[in-house]
Amino acid sequence: MDLHFLTIAQAAAMIKVGKLSPVELTAAFFKRIHALDSQLDSYLMPLEAQAMADAAKAEADIAAGNWKGPLHGIPIGLKDIYNTAGVRTTGHSALFKDHVPTEDAVTVTRLRQAGAIVLGKLATWEFAIGGASFDLPWPPARNPWNTAHDPGGSSSGSGSAVAAGLAMAAMGTDTGGSIRGPASWCGIAGHKPTYGYLSRRGILPLSFSLDHAGPMCWTSEDCAIMMQVLAGYDPLDPASADVPIADFAAALGGGLNGLRIGVPRHFFETDLTPDPEVLAAFNAAIEVYKSLGATVTDVTLSPLSKFTEINSLITASEAFAIHGRWLRETPELYGERGRLRIMAGAFVSAEDYVNAQRERTRLVQEVTATMRDVDLLMMPTRHITAPILGGYDSSVGPSLTRPFNMTGFPALSICNGFSSAGLPISLQIAGRPFEDHIVLKAGDAYEKATSWRGMRPKLEATLAAAAN
Amino acid sequence: MSEISFEARVRATGLKPKAEDMPKLEALVKDMDRAAELVRGPRAYSEEPLSAFRLKKA
């Protein structure tokens, strides 16, 4: 059995009854990290000694009858903008290369309390903005489906590691698509929760009003398992929502009869030009949903460029508010892409920033009104498959993910096929605020009705071919 | 009124980008200026911005 390709749901069932050892499982991941990650660069910092000690403790606790739940003994990775007590949190930047937090991020604390094993800190775009860069202290992560290609970002190491079987799950963050983008190009499930459902405290901020933390896993079911632990009110995060937490696992299954799906077709048929294979995969996925009992109608929203450009305006403004002092004093400690993207925020006037947030209120009202008639919105996550590493610029062109950072509505990316070149294609499912469980239910239903979750990157073969 | 040069706008921010950064930065700032045009339309004086500022009872 390939332990590294088990899902959380599969591994948890085995760990609970003593058929799988957390120590054996964690060791299997480190064996694979040592063997393969030099070609993927998904990890900035493996934390083997601490992880093995934590796995041994988990094993002893479970053997003593103290199983904490389905994350107990599960090996995960953290995007290196999640603070970890006593362990460097660099943001993949020379500026923070010696930054050692004294506390874990709240989400990390919740994961540890649930018994998850932290394998290490994962690559990211510098401070979660820009793109794959070669002028930082560490190289950019690569795509395990083809290591010449971009894994997407900014949660690049998270997407790469989960797809490659170098972590069973990982944490990402998403300000304009940074969970869903790498989920898309790496062929995994990535969930950007409703804004306020998860605490952001202890995560290096990029854009206070747009940043979201969220899980990246092989399946929607695994994202649901992670969400059960991660979601919760944090009185010290000013954006945290004090709302009841759904029973995510209970929401899965049970069919999709009566589910109403809206498709903003103009987003990906006229507002930008999709890869024909992406469009064909989307249309095929919609047919699957119809066969599962859902009804589908087209809906119209504001042009995609409006969501995208206002998102960029707000991101740059808020990011510059954080980084302005450092960019004036030590710009040389940033890579070019991050440096320039954040510097651009210095040129946004206060009037334009406030009016961007006023326009955002209108967009939230518009999407809310549309979603009175449909339960979910569906579209491709990315209109193209993964490009060659280094060639992608996230600041260029409309983005299908940004509408759900602008509105804060939950959005999930799942794999819905592969291109003729063998690269993953993805479907995005968005829902109403705090109806993340319905989004995940729809993702889970599709994954179980199709065969895509049975396909994994043949990394050993890819690497052998690259070496020859 | 003459238009403010990009170099003057840069000086006003207190930033000192490298000379080779200037063309790329100028292109990104043009993107910001274009985005700003999208939010400059007429709106009611009372229209509120989206805000995370919500007081909670202590």
Side-chain angles (χ1 to χ4, degrees), chain A residues 55-382:
Chain A
K57 181 170 188 318
E59 188 154 318
D61 287 347
I62 293 163
N66 298 316
W67 184 70
K68 294 178 178 177
L71 289 189
H72 204 172
I74 298 297
I76 64 165
L78 301 173
K79 181 179 185 177
D80 199 26
I81 65 169
Y82 281 76
N83 279 348
T84 40
V87 173
R88 283 192 306 170
T89 299
T90 69
H92 209 130
S93 176
L95 185 73
F96 268 37
K97 69 179 171 51
D98 299 317
H99 170 239
V100 181
T102 55
E103 290 183 344
D104 282 342
V106 171
T107 39
V108 174
T109 298
R110 294 179 78 97
L111 289 164
R112 288 194 203 276
Q113 286 173 343
I117 311 297
V118 175
L119 295 172
K121 308 297 288 290
L122 296 162
T124 168
W125 293 350
E126 186 176 31
F127 293 120
I129 195 169
S133 299
F134 295 89
D135 57 354
L136 302 177
W138 302 270
R142 292 176 176 272
N143 192 315
W145 295 92
N146 184 329
T147 56
H149 286 248
D150 198 321
S154 63
S155 308
S156 49
S158 303
S160 177
V162 171
L166 305 189
M168 196 167 275
M171 290 303 293
T173 60
D174 194 315
T175 303
S178 285
I179 286 174
R180 292 158 290 156
S184 166
W185 286 348
C186 291
I188 66 171
H191 183 58
K192 183 205 78 65
T194 303
Y195 187 77
Y197 222 169
L198 270 60
S199 172
R200 304 159 306 150
R201 187 155 57 96
I203 301 170
L204 303 183
L206 174 64
S207 174
F208 296 110
S209 72
L210 292 163
D211 291 343
H212 300 66
M216 300 171 72
C217 305
W218 186 245
T219 64
S220 301
E221 181 182 21
D222 283 0
C223 287
I225 291 169
M226 295 275 280
M227 281 293 292
Q228 204 67 61
V229 166
L230 291 164
Y233 177 56
D234 174 7
L236 297 181
D237 175 348
S240 185
D242 191 2
V243 294
I245 307 302
D247 186 337
F248 295 96
L252 305 183
L256 299 181
N257 276 330
L259 188 77
R260 301 167 302 166
I261 295 170
V263 177
R265 205 164 268 282
H266 65 94
F267 271 12
F268 54 91
E269 289 194 344
T270 54
D271 296 353
L272 48 70
T273 306
D275 180 320
E277 290 185 301
V278 170
L279 187 57
F282 175 79
N283 290 330
I286 288 299
E287 292 305 313
V288 171
Y289 276 104
K290 286 180 182 172
S291 75
L292 293 172
T295 59
V296 181
T297 54
D298 285 357
V299 298
T300 303
L301 296 167
S302 287
L304 189 58
S305 59
K306 186 170 194 177
F307 288 96
T308 302
E309 295 193 28
I310 299 175
N311 176 286
S312 294
L313 195 75
I314 294 169
T315 301
S317 304
E318 295 186 359
F320 189 74
I322 297 163
H323 288 271
R325 177 171 64 89
W326 294 315
L327 283 169
R328 290 187 180 99
E329 293 174 358
T330 54
E332 70 280 3
L333 294 181
Y334 290 78
E336 180 188 293
R337 285 184 134 173
R339 182 174 71 239
L340 295 179
R341 282 287 297 281
I342 301 174
M343 275 185 175
F347 299 82
V348 179
S349 73
E351 178 187 8
D352 288 336
Y353 173 76
V354 172
N355 280 331
Q357 293 287 22
R358 293 170 96 189
E359 193 65 30
R360 198 170 161 194
T361 305
R362 288 188 188 179
L363 292 170
V364 170
Q365 290 166 346
E366 174 190 297
V367 180
T368 300
T370 298
M371 295 197 73
R372 288 195 188 105
D373 299 323
V374 296
D375 303 303
L376 299 172
L377 297 173
M378 290 193 187
M379 65 215 77
T381 308
R382 289 275 180 259

